[in-house]
Amino acid sequence: MKINAKYASRLAVAPMMDWTDRHCRYLHRLLSARTLLYTEMVTAPALVRGGALHLLEFNPEEHPVALQLGGSEPEELAQAAKLGAEAGYDEINLNCGCPSDRVQSGTFGAVLMQHPELVADCVAAMAEAQPAEVTVKCRIGVDDQDPEAVLPDFLEKIRAAGVRRVTIHARKAWLQGLSPKENRDIPPLDYDLVLRMRAAFPDLHVSINGGIGTLAQAEDLLAQGLDGVMIGRAAYHEPANILCEADRRIYGDDRPPLTPEAAVRAMLPYIECHVAAGGKLAQVTRHMLGLFQGRPGARAWRRHLSEHGHRAGAGPEVVEAAMAMVAPEGAQA
């Protein structure tokens, strides 16, 4: 079943560094057939100058899947976007929201909110170079900027450059004084501003990100008129609680949802292949720790995988032993 990325973006799992790798995305796709998945941010210089094409590897089962790029040089981003399209990604996203020091030193991520004309040049070059849709993920502003003035101007410029789909993290990024972790929590959320931008730019597909922890919150924001909702940490730490019901509740799919147990069983052949190819069990199971969140035995599941997943020769039997410690579905913690 081929699912269009724009349709899928009604619900998306946010790109998260060190978390949303291909093993994580394979698990998330088992839990939801329709949710849009994103890679970790891949820098354009790593692809174009460093030749790190292994960063583009993904499993065909992950579709619909978007590649998030970091960079600020239009020609280099165009080349990276072309590589991403050739690899088969359904969407190419430009990161204008990450506040880390490493990103700032490369003049990309959230610092690009201060350079909307450059962003416009970047997305125009990316779109011209390849056929996949180019989208943007941004903040409402940075540092002492006034979001009420900055965000509309930013959206106007990227729209003029051809962007038709944007995800707005509804917080400022403070590039000085706050760590990347603090930037995910401390700046206040402004959902109302994002809703006003949706009304002010009716031809833009606007998704919201930031502080959304449940499907009920996502449904409420969609009901208020937003086109999409992107969930980050909650989807990672409680993947079954967010994604197992997503297809039914967000997309109206009436097929029975996959249970966490069924997802684990479906992961076993994948794990076996990964280990047989020389991979480590923990590279996969670290993304599975939250599958049984809220169930009796969830702590024992996490502990067993954490203690045994790194051991030499560990394979599917470790996962099966951990699953035996989890109470049957329907039991409450």
Side-chain angles (χ1 to χ4, degrees):
M1 176 176 59
K2 176 71 171 176
I3 298 175
N4 177 274
K6 180 179 178 180
Y7 166 77
S9 65
R10 187 166 172 81
L11 183 71
V13 177
M16 292 175 281
M17 292 299 291
D18 299 321
W19 287 3
T20 51
D21 65 16
R22 59 194 179 95
H23 305 307
C24 174
R25 298 192 305 267
Y26 189 88
L27 170 66
H28 287 180
R29 179 57 67 224
L30 287 173
L31 300 175
S32 170
R34 297 177 182 271
T35 302
L36 181 60
L37 305 179
Y38 280 79
T39 68
E40 305 169 86
M41 184 187 67
V42 178
T43 68
L47 296 176
V48 177
R49 295 182 227 163
L53 298 185
H54 66 279
L55 297 174
L56 297 177
E57 293 175 1
F58 69 97
N59 196 298
E61 279 82 356
E62 293 174 35
H63 288 293
V65 60
L67 169 67
Q68 187 181 69
L69 292 175
S72 60
E73 205 289 311
E75 184 177 341
E76 192 166 62
L77 279 165
Q79 293 179 57
K82 186 172 185 293
L83 291 170
E86 289 171 349
Y89 284 95
D90 301 294
E91 171 191 329
I92 312 294
N93 179 266
L94 179 62
N95 183 326
C96 296
C98 181
S100 78
D101 293 339
R102 185 169 66 86
V103 167
Q104 290 181 55
S105 66
T107 321
F108 53 86
V111 73
L112 284 173
M113 296 296 299
Q114 299 172 332
H115 307 282
E117 294 85 0
L118 175 58
V119 175
D121 290 343
C122 289
V123 293
M126 292 163 69
E128 186 177 355
Q130 50 77 46
E133 183 177 12
V134 173
T135 66
V136 170
K137 185 172 188 287
C138 67
R139 294 277 183 142
I140 61 173
V142 296
D143 295 338
D144 292 321
Q145 288 182 330
D146 176 9
E148 296 281 356
V150 168
L151 187 56
D153 179 64
F154 182 87
L155 295 178
E156 183 70 52
K157 286 182 168 60
I158 64 171
R159 180 178 66 175
V163 170
R164 290 296 176 266
R165 190 149 53 88
V166 61
T167 299
I168 303 172
H169 186 148
R171 284 187 175 97
K172 269 190 178 184
W174 287 93
L175 304 179
Q176 305 296 328
L178 292 182
S179 71
K181 183 178 185 298
E182 291 170 331
N183 262 299
R184 293 193 292 267
D185 294 305
I186 291 177
L189 289 160
D190 193 345
Y191 290 171
D192 287 342
L193 176 59
V194 180
L195 285 162
R196 292 198 298 276
M197 293 303 98
R198 176 65 188 86
F201 294 87
D203 56 332
L204 282 184
H205 182 288
V206 177
S207 292
I208 193 167
N209 173 230
I212 303 156
T214 67
L215 274 186
Q217 281 181 277
E219 289 171 314
D220 180 62
L221 288 162
L222 291 168
Q224 292 182 61
L226 290 164
D227 300 295
V229 174
M230 178 179 279
I231 301 181
R233 285 167 288 166
Y236 186 84
H237 291 304
E238 303 179 34
N241 291 344
I242 298 294
L243 297 175
C244 283
E245 287 286 334
D247 291 0
R248 180 179 67 84
R249 291 170 59 177
I250 303 297
Y251 303 94
D253 190 331
D254 58 5
R255 290 175 297 178
L258 200 69
T259 64
E261 287 88 347
V264 172
R265 287 191 290 270
M267 286 296 294
L268 294 177
Y270 180 88
I271 289 169
E272 191 168 3
C273 288
H274 176 68
V275 172
K280 303 295 185 184
L281 175 65
Q283 292 172 322
V284 180
T285 55
R286 71 187 185 96
H287 304 300
M288 301 170 65
L289 298 179
L291 267 176
F292 296 100
Q293 185 69 26
R295 293 261 292 274
R299 183 177 297 178
W301 156 267
R302 293 193 300 269
R303 184 172 59 245
H304 191 81
L305 291 183
S306 297
E307 290 178 353
H308 298 277
H310 293 277
R311 294 183 178 177
E317 72 285 346
V318 171
V319 181
E320 292 175 309
M323 192 162 63
M325 301 174 184
V326 180
E329 188 175 12
Q332 297 297 315

